Amino acid sequence: GDSVTQTEGLVTLTEGLPVMLNCTYQTIYSNPFLFWYVQHLNESPRLLLKSFTDNKRTEHQGFHATLHKSSSSFHLQKSSAQLSDSALYYCALMVYNQGKLIFGQGTKLSIKP
Amino acid sequence: ETAVFQTPNYHVTQVGNEVSFNCKQTLGHDTMYWYKQDSKKLLKIMFSYNNKQLIVNETVPRRFSPQSSDKAHLNLRIKSVEPEDSAVYLCASSDRNQDTQYFGPGTRLLVL
């Protein structure tokens, strides 16, 4: 069945260093739609990035990700971490024609001064 | 203000009781969802409705039942709650393209 894997449960970085959060997925559908949602403390998840185009970089709020169908990956990156980036990040796969999202386990990103 | 609203924010109850959570969206969306976020922050779809029609019903215990009166409202009833039902229940909605989902603030349930 459809699934999403985020290998890191916790990523701790010093402010100013680059961020990379891993996301891989499995689906039988040939045109997957991938998302990154961010959840700050005591808030609800909100969309950060989305893409269904192979090998095209998508960017928002300093973050970027590229969907690579060849490796079934959609890693999230940022060149320089900020304290305000500390949050829980979810990678998600949309199940075609149902609209439901399959979420990965989530990666907690903690940025230290 | 257009958004997704949920009530109550927080609910404490005892094992075996019945609870109901409400969700309303003023975004004009056609599809609404219920997700469960457990203590380990795992986020999992439970149900989704499109224009009052149930389209997704994941494998959840029968004590959970969604109810939709119109496309702007989706409630969740839990009959005879159990300790493992303690979680945050998140309501979300999306438009007919069903790509971006907008989440409500959540209802935190604690079952004693």
Side-chain angles (χ1 to χ4, degrees):
Chain A
D2 301 300
S3 66
V4 176
T5 301
Q6 294 178 249
T7 52
E8 309 107 343
L10 171 65
V11 172
T12 303
L13 292 170
T14 302
E15 188 178 15
L17 290 180
V19 177
M20 180 158 170
L21 305 184
N22 291 316
C23 172
T24 57
Y25 64 90
Q26 280 190 316
T27 182
I28 60 172
Y29 181 53
S30 59
N31 291 311
F33 204 157
L34 273 293
F35 301 79
W36 278 99
Y37 277 80
V38 58
Q39 184 176 24
H40 285 93
L41 190 62
N42 298 322
E43 295 183 7
S44 53
R46 63 172 175 80
L47 179 69
L48 179 60
L49 289 173
K50 61 183 178 183
S51 180
F52 57 85
T53 306
D54 198 15
N55 296 319
K56 181 180 178 182
R57 173 169 160 150
T58 182
E59 299 187 38
H60 187 61
Q61 296 184 334
F63 287 91
H64 63 91
T66 303
L67 175 61
H68 292 296
K69 293 182 184 179
S70 60
S71 57
S72 298
S73 67
F74 190 56
H75 305 317
L76 182 68
Q77 299 181 67
K78 187 176 184 183
S79 58
S80 176
Q82 297 177 289
L83 294 175
S84 58
D85 294 331
S86 294
L88 184 57
Y89 291 80
Y90 290 101
C91 183
L93 168 70
M94 177 172 286
V95 177
Y96 176 68
N97 227 18
Q98 293 185 7
K100 69 178 185 181
L101 290 173
I102 304 296
F103 286 91
Q105 303 91 322
T107 297
K108 181 177 179 180
L109 178 63
S110 178
I111 308 299
K112 307 294 184 185
Chain B
E1 182 188 3
T2 55
V4 181
F5 303 94
Q6 291 186 241
T7 57
N9 295 325
Y10 187 64
H11 189 79
V12 182
T13 190
Q14 295 189 326
V15 171
N17 286 347
E18 177 175 316
V19 298
S20 286
F21 305 145
N22 301 311
C23 179
K24 169 188 170 182
Q25 56 92 4
T26 57
L27 296 164
H29 289 164
D30 296 317
T31 308
M32 296 183 71
Y33 312 81
W34 277 111
Y35 289 88
K36 178 181 179 182
Q37 187 174 41
D38 66 17
S39 58
K40 296 181 181 178
K41 301 298 185 182
L42 293 176
L43 195 52
K44 191 170 182 182
I45 181 77
M46 299 176 71
F47 304 99
S48 75
Y49 270 74
N50 181 270
N51 273 321
K52 300 194 296 178
Q53 299 294 319
L54 180 66
I55 57 172
V56 171
N57 184 354
E58 293 298 293
T59 307
V60 299
R62 286 188 177 185
R63 60 181 180 277
F64 289 85
S65 59
Q67 299 162 326
S68 179
S69 56
D70 57 58
K71 71 175 187 176
H73 296 83
L74 181 62
N75 300 329
L76 181 65
R77 185 177 71 165
I78 314 174
K79 291 168 62 175
S80 190
V81 295
E82 298 188 7
E84 60 263 32
D85 297 337
S86 294
V88 176
Y89 291 87
L90 290 161
C91 177
S93 72
S94 65
D95 64 18
R96 62 182 63 249
N97 293 323
Q98 295 183 336
D99 54 10
T100 303
Q101 294 189 15
Y102 296 85
F103 286 83
T107 293
R108 183 177 296 276
L109 173 67
L110 179 59
V111 180
L112 301 175

